Every structure is written in structure tokens, then in C-alpha cells.
Amino acid sequence: MTRPGPGRPQPTLDTLAITLLAAVPLHILELRAQDDQQRIAIARRCADVVAAHGDDLQYGGKHCREAFNALARGLAVAAYQPGGITFADLHWCTAAHLGCPRAGR
């Protein structure tokens, strides 16, 4: 994914980042009661949806909402892993860890 540069604005990237900043923490909260095995199953389902409909998320399509929610929920599951997850220069984690880009915030 290329980053915006002079003369190359990417409003869809900005929109995706902003919506993920809102959605991923909500999914993290919803997943608190799930154990590791349940999260693994959720992650697999999310990966299948994103693999099948990621193009709808990127370019618009009838499965855009489903693909977005699967991406956000999958990132939330990954936030529970040691070291969390960084995607599109955004980082989510559920526990303090060495080198955390969110440390001190």
C-alpha cells in the first residue's frame, strides 16, 4: 500500500484509518470474554471474509461492510497476541510490551 505523497492524496486510506481507529477498540472490548481458542476461530473466519471480499473493501462493493468488519475484528483478535498488531501505521495491543509504539500515550 503506498502512502499519500505530494500530489497523491489517498482519501480512502484516511477513511479506512479513521474508521479502524474507532472500530478496532470496540471489537477488542467485545472479545474480552473469549478464550484463545475462540479468538483463533474468529480470526480464521475474519481472514476468510477479507480474502474473499477485500476487493470490495478497497474499491467498494456489496460486501464492503462485511469485509470492513472482518478486518476490524481480525485486527482486534491480533491485538491480543504478544506484541499486538500494527497495520497501516496503526497499532493496537491489549498488554504492555517492549517497543510498543503506543507507550507513553
Side-chain angles (χ1 to χ4, degrees), residues 5 8-9 23 25 27 32 40 43 66 70 75-76 81 84 86 91 98-99:
R8 292 186 348 209
H27 284 287
R32 281 186 304 192
I40 289 169
E66 181 184 9
L75 291 169
Q81 299 307 302
T86 300
H91 182 78
L98 187 63

Side-chain angles (χ1 to χ4, degrees), residues 69-80:
N69 281 311
L71 175 62
R73 194 161 182 84
L75 291 169
V77 169
Y80 281 92

Side-chain angles (χ1 to χ4, degrees), residues 5-105:
R8 292 186 348 209
Q10 291 185 340
T12 55
L13 178 62
D14 293 338
T15 302
L16 179 61
I18 290 167
T19 53
L20 287 173
L21 283 170
V24 173
L26 295 174
H27 284 287
I28 289 171
L29 289 174
E30 288 177 353
L31 293 167
R32 281 186 304 192
Q34 307 297 315
D35 64 29
D36 288 341
Q37 292 304 313
Q38 291 169 316
R39 288 190 197 117
I40 289 169
I42 291 167
R44 286 185 177 139
R45 288 191 301 272
C46 291
D48 288 343
V49 171
V50 172
H53 302 298
D55 55 335
D56 286 342
L57 177 59
Q58 188 172 4
Y59 301 111
K62 68 180 184 176
H63 299 286
C64 186
R65 180 178 9 186
E66 181 184 9
F68 171 78
N69 281 311
L71 175 62
R73 194 161 182 84
L75 291 169
V77 169
Y80 281 92
Q81 299 307 302
I85 180 75
T86 300
F87 174 79
D89 292 332
L90 303 171
H91 182 78
W92 296 275
C93 54
T94 60
H97 59 90
L98 187 63
C100 180
R102 296 179 55 89
R105 290 185 190 171

